[in-house]
Amino acid sequence: MGLQWGDEGKGKASAYISRGAGLTVRFNGGANAGHTVSVGDKSFSLHMIPAGAVSSRAAALGPGVYLDLEALFRDLEQLEQSLGRIELVVSPRAHLVLDLHKELDKSLELLRSGERIGTTLRGIGPAAMHKYARLGLRLCDILEEDAASLSAARLWRSLWVGLLSRVEEAWLNRLRELAEGVKGFVGDVGGRIERELSSGGKVVFEGAQGTMLDIDHGTYPYVTSSHTVAASASTGSGIGIKAISRVIGVAKSYTTRVGAGPFPTELHSPIADELRRRGGEYGATTGRPRRIGWLDAVQLRYACRLNSVDEIFLTRVDTLSGLPAVKVCLRYDGVGEGFPETVSSLRRVMPIYREMPGWPPIGDELRERLRREGYGALPREARRFVELVEEELGVPVRYIGIGPGVEDVVEK
Ligand code: IMP
């Protein structure tokens, strides 16, 4: 699970954790997610298929996913061109994201004017509106259309014609065509997970977005339209909570946010530009420059509680290297326990920082040594940083990202 505002490096973390797994599952979000993962000299940017599938070679998309069929086929083609066949199971209960949703996303952002959320414009909010208003169209509805006399698709269409007077036959036909293409992959995701687990296999649930973008627990209204906390792995895939034995929270060594909304530790200084340049901090879905700030222990403590995090995967310790000093926000001045609820209160908080010495650059040579020798070869100042994170969050850091590749991980 991502512990910040998304883009923590979950793609790479999941690909690492999914080694030896029999299945990797996506259960929330939609093509608003952009998971980048590098394997050897190949780099993939995936939007619907979980990035862990590059390791497990088996992917499932649960009913909690907002399904963009065009994006799904693009991902599948990208993966199969380089890696050969992968197993794919798509839940028939997943709600479809349509072109109309993308148009509505754009219109709603324009209407919000100065209060724009900065959505990815992938139609997620409007698809969620229809899902929860019980006007949504699911994959199974479109596949079943010919079978039922008053099919959900037709009912849905007539409702939409009434509401918006703009549902055209052409796109419904296009949708049927896409649905035909996915027919061979449709299956019972919960059942597939259960089979994998009962045969002793490992299943990885790969969260999309980040905890602070959760519809209930995040910085509302600057959030996405999914649950992005660990409990959603269960509801979004169709398996009980007891099937989940371990929660790994992914946190970047600094914080980024793409889109609008409060960001207490945001930096407006050349350090932000430097980190953005080094880390290639541009949105994987929209290409927008990411906002950059220091690590925020107040925000992360809240995220650890929401997710019942067992261990942390701390990414990008290499990107943060080579600075004279780094800062970590330990508390917000005058704010007691808990995380401020409103946008205005969050905009007012004053972060109190601990400044620590930076560590020497982690380049190819040191990375090579780290792969051979492990945690002990990490510069002393970087180890101190990792230990401060553990102390502040009360959760062990088990994995440390030291480069973009799947193998660029040190275990502590
Ligand atoms: P939406 O999910 O496209 O509706 O966008 C809502 C907010 O979530 C915006 O601030 C987006 O930038 C942000 N967001 C959505 N998906 C991601 C992601 O995968 N990474 C980072 N931010 C995201």
Side-chain angles (χ1 to χ4, degrees):
M1 304 305 302
L3 297 183
Q4 294 153 321
W5 277 277
D7 307 317
E8 297 90 352
K10 292 181 295 296
K12 171 234 177 71
S14 173
Y16 185 80
I17 306 291
S18 292
R19 295 170 316 158
L23 185 67
T24 311
V25 185
R26 262 288 300 270
F27 53 86
N28 66 347
N32 50 349
H35 289 172
T36 311
V37 58
S38 306
V39 188
D41 57 356
K42 296 192 185 90
S43 183
F44 303 94
S45 177
L46 300 168
H47 298 281
M48 290 291 344
I49 296 186
V54 301
S55 304
S56 63
R57 306 291 166 104
L61 305 187
V65 165
Y66 294 106
L67 191 59
D68 183 326
L69 290 172
E70 310 234 21
L72 174 68
F73 290 127
R74 276 196 298 273
D75 281 4
L76 193 60
E77 201 182 308
Q78 203 191 135
L79 282 174
E80 293 202 332
Q81 250 171 24
S82 300
L83 304 175
R85 262 202 96 58
I86 64 157
E87 181 194 343
L88 178 65
V89 188
V90 181
S91 169
R93 291 190 165 89
H95 279 250
L96 296 172
V97 179
L98 312 171
D99 287 348
L100 206 60
H101 291 131
K102 293 175 197 167
E103 284 176 37
L104 271 172
D105 207 351
K106 223 183 290 170
S107 311
L108 286 170
E109 280 287 78
L110 286 176
L111 280 175
R112 284 190 193 107
S113 176
E115 297 300 317
R116 260 173 229 177
I117 292 172
T119 76
T120 60
L121 302 178
R122 293 303 185 272
I124 303 302
M129 257 160 57
H130 288 130
K131 170 174 171 170
Y132 287 100
R134 286 138 310 157
L135 285 168
L137 185 66
R138 299 173 305 162
L139 180 58
C140 54
D141 301 325
I142 194 90
L143 288 174
E144 261 200 348
E145 208 210 350
D146 295 332
S149 57
L150 185 63
S151 70
R154 249 176 265 149
L155 170 65
W156 178 89
R157 190 166 152 253
S158 61
L159 280 167
W160 271 38
V161 169
L163 276 174
L164 301 164
S165 44
R166 55 173 309 172
V167 177
E168 292 148 20
E169 198 57 39
W171 68 256
L172 203 57
N173 287 340
R174 169 81 187 126
L175 197 62
R176 280 195 202 103
E177 227 175 84
L178 290 168
E180 271 310 304
V182 87
K183 234 176 180 167
F185 301 114
V186 173
D188 173 9
V189 171
R192 173 69 181 85
I193 295 170
E194 192 170 44
R195 274 201 307 285
E196 188 66 37
L197 292 177
S198 54
S199 66
K202 174 168 104 173
V203 177
V204 175
F205 298 86
E206 177 179 312
Q209 287 84 45
T211 297
M212 302 314 290
L213 292 172
D214 184 277
I215 184 78
D216 280 338
H217 306 287
T219 47
Y220 191 89
Y222 299 95
V223 293
T224 189
S225 299
S226 280
H227 287 290
T228 56
V229 292
S232 60
S234 165
T235 54
S237 62
I239 193 86
I241 51 171
K242 288 183 185 162
I244 297 165
S245 54
R246 188 153 64 106
V247 178
I248 302 172
V250 186
K252 186 148 58 181
S253 300
Y254 48 94
T255 313
T256 61
R257 171 162 209 178
V258 63
F263 183 175
T265 61
E266 184 167 14
L267 276 163
H268 300 280
S269 71
I271 296 179
D273 301 329
E274 174 64 13
L275 288 174
R276 186 178 302 111
R277 189 189 59 74
R278 279 197 214 171
E281 293 288 3
Y282 294 87
T285 300
T286 58
R288 291 176 292 176
R290 292 179 185 145
R291 299 157 65 196
I292 312 250
W294 295 118
L295 195 78
D296 185 344
V298 182
Q299 177 269 301
L300 285 172
R301 275 193 289 271
Y302 176 56
C304 285
R305 169 162 69 77
L306 287 168
N307 289 285
S308 295
V309 172
D310 292 302
E311 31 191 47
I312 304 251
F313 197 127
L314 189 65
T315 61
R316 299 262 193 185
V317 171
D318 58 320
T319 309
L320 199 60
S321 68
L323 294 176
V326 299
K327 289 186 186 178
V328 176
C329 166
L330 300 186
R331 60 188 177 85
Y332 299 154
D333 195 24
V335 177
E337 283 300 294
F339 195 76
E341 293 86 12
T342 62
V343 168
S344 56
S345 58
L346 260 173
R347 284 201 171 122
R348 280 196 308 270
V349 298
M350 288 287 293
I352 309 282
Y353 290 104
R354 159 92 51 94
E355 185 170 302
M356 333 174 54
W359 46 95
I362 300 182
D364 288 343
E365 208 173 301
L366 180 52
R367 202 170 279 136
E368 197 49 51
R369 220 183 111 206
L370 280 161
R371 278 196 214 113
R372 278 196 320 269
E373 296 175 25
Y375 183 71
L378 206 60
R380 185 166 40 91
E381 300 84 355
R383 276 183 278 137
R384 184 64 205 110
F385 175 76
V386 170
E387 286 151 18
L388 179 72
V389 172
E390 294 183 318
E391 283 156 27
E392 284 298 318
L393 307 189
V395 178
V397 172
R398 166 133 180 230
Y399 309 94
I400 298 156
I402 50 153
V406 173
E407 302 300 326
D408 294 331
V409 176
V410 167
E411 292 199 25
K412 181 170 180 285

